[in-house]
Amino acid sequence: MDWDDVRSFLAIARTRSLSGAARELGVRQSTMSRRLEAMEARNGARLLQRTTNGYELTALGEAVLGNAERMEAEAIAVERMVQGRDVALSGVVRLTTVEVLSNLLLPGAVKALQARYPAITLDVLTDSRSLSLSKREADIAIRMTRFDSHDVITRRMTTAAGALYASPDYLAEHGQDLASADHAIITVLEDQAHQPEARWLAEMLPHARVAMRSNSRDGQLAAARAGVGVVYLPCYLADRDPGVVRLDAGLGPSREVWLGVHADLRHMPRIRAVIDVLNDAFAAEKGLFSGEAQNRPQSGKP
């Protein structure tokens, strides 16, 4: 099997469909179908079989899967090593992060990057999945949790505080007595209820009913702005929004924000250039992340 065969085999095995494999490799579904037929013809053996539930590994496919994954890991390692020696201040850098951080930090960071290094392009992936730095799914990652990979170089960028928020109309109707049973809350989905901020919200409003659950911070903010209830939000998101106000309940649990880059790429000039502008962007918003500076737009004022 050549390398293209290995990549096609792994993509189909993981996604269990030609369409999913095609998306993963950036080709058309018809191209992926031809690749599968050619792979089987060249190798004279069938590694995958089509079933009603999608493509499944044959017994031979299961036997060679581990070897194919090791080939992939070695190929990616070679790519990282070569890329890490690239000294050009040009090219594409792939950054993955959550959407709310992307919306806050990246417009200014990209503007600064373009002013210094216009030949660098930043690809931003606001994916709900944790894209792998080791597999080169991204070059840099900014996450709200620590990285657990030994081959990733990490840096704590800031600590993001959070607080309780609601719309002015909601508070005018329900008041700020958090012990009142008249309150409603906007919280996370049940599989995220173990998170410290979700527990703190429930403890602060022990008699409130749950009006809405969402795994989207922007969705929670929109619901609070509409007067649905009280919500816990990061200060860097909610303090900039004129549609909600912070309750007099102090700051809640905070989250550390971490940047990670694979060890093989950390000295690449274009990677360093992007990290430098991200450092500046986080430093500029230090007060907003800490909850000490409520950088709230004032309606009707220039």
Side-chain angles (χ1 to χ4, degrees), residues 256-271:
E256 293 179 335
V257 182
W258 291 84
L259 180 145
V261 60
H262 196 279
D264 292 343
L265 303 180
R266 68 187 187 278
H267 297 306
M268 188 189 301
R270 67 172 177 264
I271 299 290

Side-chain angles (χ1 to χ4, degrees), residues 40 46 73 77 90 92 101-102 122 173 229 252 260:
E40 292 177 342
R46 178 165 292 185
S90 62
V92 177
L101 280 177
S102 170
L122 189 65
E173 180 179 352

Side-chain angles (χ1 to χ4, degrees), residues 160-188:
L164 300 180
Y165 295 87
S167 72
D169 289 344
Y170 175 90
L171 293 177
E173 180 179 352
H174 299 278
Q176 290 210 32
D177 179 8
L178 301 185
S180 170
D182 191 39
H183 280 297
I185 60 173
I186 304 158
T187 187
V188 296

Side-chain angles (χ1 to χ4, degrees), residues 275-297:
I275 292 175
D276 287 344
V277 298
L278 290 172
N279 283 335
D280 293 343
F282 274 102
E285 299 292 356
K286 181 179 179 181
L288 196 58
F289 277 105
S290 68
E292 297 174 357
Q294 295 192 48
N295 183 23
R296 183 188 305 283

Side-chain angles (χ1 to χ4, degrees), residues 116-137:
R116 301 178 201 173
Y117 311 109
I120 297 177
T121 298
L122 189 65
D123 282 0
V124 181
L125 303 97
T126 55
D127 202 307
S128 58
R129 299 173 299 138
S130 293
L131 299 183
S132 172
L133 297 176
S134 297
K135 294 182 178 179
R136 289 301 309 278
E137 292 176 336

